[in-house]
Each structure stands twice: as structure tokens, then as C-alpha cells.
Amino acid sequence: MLARWGDFPAGWLVAWGGAAVAVLMADATKRWPERWSAQDRASSRRADRAWIGRHVLRWLPVVAILALLMPVLIDGAGRPRVALADGDGEGDAASPYWGFSDRLDTSVRGELGDQEMLRVWADRPDYWRGQTFDRWDGRYWTATDSELVELQAETPMKPLPGVGDVGVSTTARPTVSSSQTYELVGAGTDVVFAAYRPVELISAQWSWSRVEDGSIVSQWMPAGSVYRVESERVAVTPDLLRRNDPAGADLPPPMADRFLDDGSVTDRVRALAADVTAGAPTTYDKIRSLETWMSENIRYTRDIPVPPEGADAIEQLLFVDKAGFCEQIGTALTMMMRSLGVPSRLVVGYVAGEKVGDDEYLVRAEDAHAWVEIWFPGLGWQGFDPTASVPLAGEASTNDVGVPWTGIAIAA
């Protein structure tokens, strides 16, 4: 609650201070007749001081508690603290992915409940992508180039392709097209969620900016905002992915610099990746081999302790805990593929959600997800979800995101 207070302007202090004065003045009117009828000035002053002390002790805690609770009791009053990534570096759990950030802490996982976040009307279910991360340090992912480039204010707006998608053509191959309309239900955000690959954005209300990875960010959109996205990508098949193998392909400098192993993969993890994929003839087959290995050796659970200080999170997952959640599992596949010389990155957003009507999907906080994108020449980034192959480790305990149980208990 104290951290959320920092998101509110100084006007809140003035408002609550004024409220406290108003309460004291209203209560003081009961004392005025008694004060005026007093004959002994010294006795009156002593009585005044006692009266002020009693009322300060009575009302100050009430005003302070209400002031602290207001940021969490009023939905949409300010920008939510939860974000696409943990942004303060102190290891406190991020909740559902919701606002743009340049860092993701893979050691913590927010308790995700059934709070409604999005309603999506789409002609096909898909992953609703938020943003990607490219730099790994053993615990944190960062987006190394998160500078926003303002896009043309036109309707429909046609976003430029991100790094890795430049030169990908959908004219010579069969394509998969998708039209989606998004309504923000739970809270506002500045992230434009979209199925890969957005080619048109339509909204009369918001301006847009682009991040180099192809993610789209807007000005802050409050709850209730609606926008539409048109997406188009190459219709890939296993055979097409095998023919367009990234192994040995000439990579543009940004791809080699940002999406291959820079030495952050440990020798033990590198050796495991090489051993598991030794019999796989193509990159696609190597991906499937690693996903199969994870399905046989890793369990999915959110009930996992924070890795010890200085421990490599991937080694902790693969060799110690042998259990983890989607950010950790996706990170392991990303870095194992990088160690094999294949450009890879981690992407976060939401799975399709629950189908609640004709072409309508309800996306809840518990649908927040992380998966892997691997680059194929001529095809661009292709998504793979290793978590889908990993068995559950029992029901994880959850708590509804956004319900201020602590605040409600204090108020009670």
C-alpha cells in the first residue's frame, strides 16, 4: 500500500488534510457553546488542549488508514503497480502482465486469480502478445532496446515490422489472418496486446508508439478502452520450418548480437542441450526434443522457492528443483536453443482465455503466460510453448489478483 501511495499526486495529501480539518471543525461545533460559557480562562485553555489531544488521537489514525487504502480500493484511480515485469529489483512478485516494463524477474510469480482483464472478440483463438525480452543475466530478463518510436497518427495505423520480421513476406506463401477487438476490463494499460503479427491498428482515441522488437505501446488507456488489431503471418507447417532452418543462416548483426548466447548459458546447461538434441537433424526437431525432455523431467508449479542468491535460475530449474512456472520453463528453452546457435527470445502476454460466446474470449489474470519465440529465416518469429508439454504438479494455491484483502482486513 505504501508503494502504491507513490503513484498518487500531492493533491491527495491536500485532499486528505482538508478532510481531516473538516472533521475536526465539524466536531468542534459541539464544543463552542461550552467554550463560550466558560468563565475561567486558564481552565478553558486546559480543557481546549485536552479536547484537541483526544480528537487527534481519535481521528488521525482513521484518516491515515483511509488515505493509505484509497490507492488500492479505487480501481483505475492511477496506473497499476503491477506490470509486464518486476520493475523494482527487490524480488517482490509481479501480478498479471499489464504494463510495459524493460525487466522481468524469473524468480518470482504473482498469485494469479480469476480477475477479468480482457475481453477479446476474434475469429480464431491465439496468444495475445504483450512484449519480448532479449537479454538474460541468470535471473533477470531485460529488453535492451525499449526506446519508443512514435508512429503515424492515422487510422488504420500500419505498424512497422520489428527486428527479425523485416523482409518477411506473406505474399508468396499461404497466410493466417486474424481480426481481434480488445476491451480492457480489469484496469488500464499502455501495452497493445495483439496476435502475432499485427499489421493494422484501429482506434480513434489513442496514439501509438513502437518498440524495436515490434511491440506496440500506447498512451495510457483506462479500463473500458477498446481497440482493434488486424494480424497476418505465414501459415507454417513442420515441413516448412524444417526447410527454413536457422542453423547456419546468415544473421543480420542485430540478430546475432541480441538473440544468441552471449556467454550467459552455463556449461552444464549447454552440455544438456547438446546431449538432448544430439539425434535431431533440424532446428525444429531440436525444439521438439527439448520440449519432450522437459515434459518427462520438469513439473509445472507456481509453489517454488526463490533461488538462492547467486544461483543460475536455469540450472536451479533443470538440475535442482526440476519444477517451475512458465517464465522459468520458457527461459530454459530460450537459452538452450541459443546455446545451439539459434536466435530465440522470451515473450509474455496472455493465452486465449475462456470462450464465452461466438468468437468472444474472456481473459483472466490466471491466463498470464510466457512462452518462446524462435527465429526462422524468411518466416520471422515462431512461437513455441514448452509449458504446454510440462505436466502439472498439483493445484497451485491462488489468490484473486486486485482484491485488497490486506486493506479490507485493516479497515475492518
Side-chain angles (χ1 to χ4, degrees):
M1 290 183 295
L2 289 172
R4 282 294 307 276
W5 179 257
D7 295 335
F8 284 74
W12 282 92
L13 293 174
V14 176
W16 281 104
V21 172
V23 168
L24 291 173
M25 290 181 63
D27 209 10
T29 58
K30 301 176 183 179
R31 174 164 172 75
W32 287 345
E34 177 188 345
R35 177 69 178 81
W36 292 338
S37 62
Q39 300 299 317
D40 184 348
R41 177 168 297 187
S43 299
S44 297
R45 287 177 177 174
R46 285 194 298 272
D48 286 344
R49 287 193 293 270
W51 178 86
I52 291 172
R54 287 197 306 272
H55 283 73
V56 166
L57 292 175
R58 177 187 300 174
W59 291 109
L60 185 59
V62 174
V63 172
I65 289 174
L66 289 175
L68 290 173
L69 290 180
M70 189 57 63
V72 293
L73 292 175
I74 296 181
D75 178 41
R79 179 178 177 131
R81 185 166 182 261
V82 296
L84 275 167
D86 169 50
D88 60 13
E90 298 301 325
D92 54 341
S95 285
Y97 308 122
W98 204 237
F100 184 82
S101 179
D102 61 0
R103 186 164 69 165
L104 174 69
D105 186 354
T106 63
S107 69
V108 293
R109 176 71 164 168
E111 294 182 337
L112 308 181
D114 60 359
Q115 180 190 7
E116 296 181 4
M117 308 302 289
L118 295 169
R119 282 189 179 269
V120 185
W121 290 264
D123 48 17
R124 60 188 304 123
D126 212 321
Y127 287 82
W128 318 127
R129 300 166 76 252
Q131 70 171 104
T132 70
F133 298 92
D134 61 281
R135 187 66 64 195
W136 170 251
D137 69 358
R139 171 171 170 173
Y140 292 96
W141 279 103
T142 54
T144 56
D145 192 342
S146 56
E147 181 179 355
L148 302 183
V149 178
E150 188 171 348
L151 299 170
Q152 293 293 328
E154 56 185 20
T155 301
M157 190 276 291
K158 299 182 182 298
L160 299 173
V163 59
D165 287 325
V166 176
V168 174
S169 174
T170 56
T171 59
R173 297 185 175 94
T175 61
V176 176
S177 300
S178 172
S179 178
Q180 314 120 54
T181 299
Y182 296 83
E183 179 187 1
L184 305 181
V185 178
T189 184
D190 57 355
V191 173
V192 177
F193 295 95
Y196 177 77
R197 194 172 48 104
V199 294
E200 280 189 1
L201 293 175
I202 302 170
S203 174
Q205 296 174 285
W206 314 111
S207 61
W208 318 95
S209 297
R210 170 185 170 273
V211 189
E212 191 187 15
D213 70 344
S215 303
I216 307 297
V217 180
S218 78
Q219 65 190 77
W220 190 254
M221 299 180 292
S225 299
V226 176
Y227 61 89
R228 182 177 153 197
V229 178
E230 299 291 331
S231 301
E232 187 177 72
R233 64 176 181 267
V234 176
V236 298
T237 63
D239 185 58
L240 183 60
L241 293 174
R242 288 186 175 103
R243 292 200 308 268
N244 292 266
D245 199 318
D250 292 331
L251 301 178
M255 298 292 294
D257 294 343
R258 292 176 57 182
F259 303 108
L260 293 180
D261 180 21
D262 59 357
S264 56
V265 180
T266 66
D267 292 340
R268 196 178 181 189
V269 172
R270 187 179 293 106
L272 176 62
D275 181 61
V276 171
T277 62
T282 70
T283 292
Y284 175 78
D285 295 301
K286 293 180 189 297
I287 298 168
R288 293 307 187 197
S289 295
L290 288 172
E291 288 181 331
T292 300
W293 184 91
M294 288 185 181
S295 71
E296 296 171 349
N297 294 275
I298 305 297
R299 296 173 297 110
Y300 177 88
T301 179
R302 292 202 293 261
D303 185 17
I304 200 75
V306 175
E309 187 68 27
D312 180 85
I314 301 177
E315 284 210 355
Q316 186 76 18
L317 169 74
L318 298 178
F319 305 113
V320 181
D321 296 331
K322 298 184 179 180
F325 42 83
C326 56
E327 290 95 333
Q328 298 170 332
I329 296 168
T331 295
L333 178 60
T334 299
M335 298 310 296
M336 292 171 89
M337 290 306 301
R338 285 188 178 188
S339 75
L340 299 173
V342 179
S344 309
R345 67 186 183 183
L346 190 76
V347 58
V348 295
Y350 288 90
V351 296
E354 177 189 1
K355 190 171 184 179
V356 293
D358 292 339
D359 298 331
E360 181 180 356
Y361 300 87
L362 177 59
V363 181
R364 295 183 170 89
E366 62 191 0
D367 296 317
H369 196 45
W371 60 99
V372 183
E373 287 185 339
I374 296 175
W375 182 81
F376 288 78
L379 305 177
W381 296 100
Q382 302 299 318
F384 294 87
D385 186 4
T387 307
S389 303
V390 174
L392 294 174
E395 292 295 326
S397 60
T398 59
N399 208 5
D400 287 345
V401 173
V403 181
W405 299 114
T406 302
I408 291 173
I410 293 175

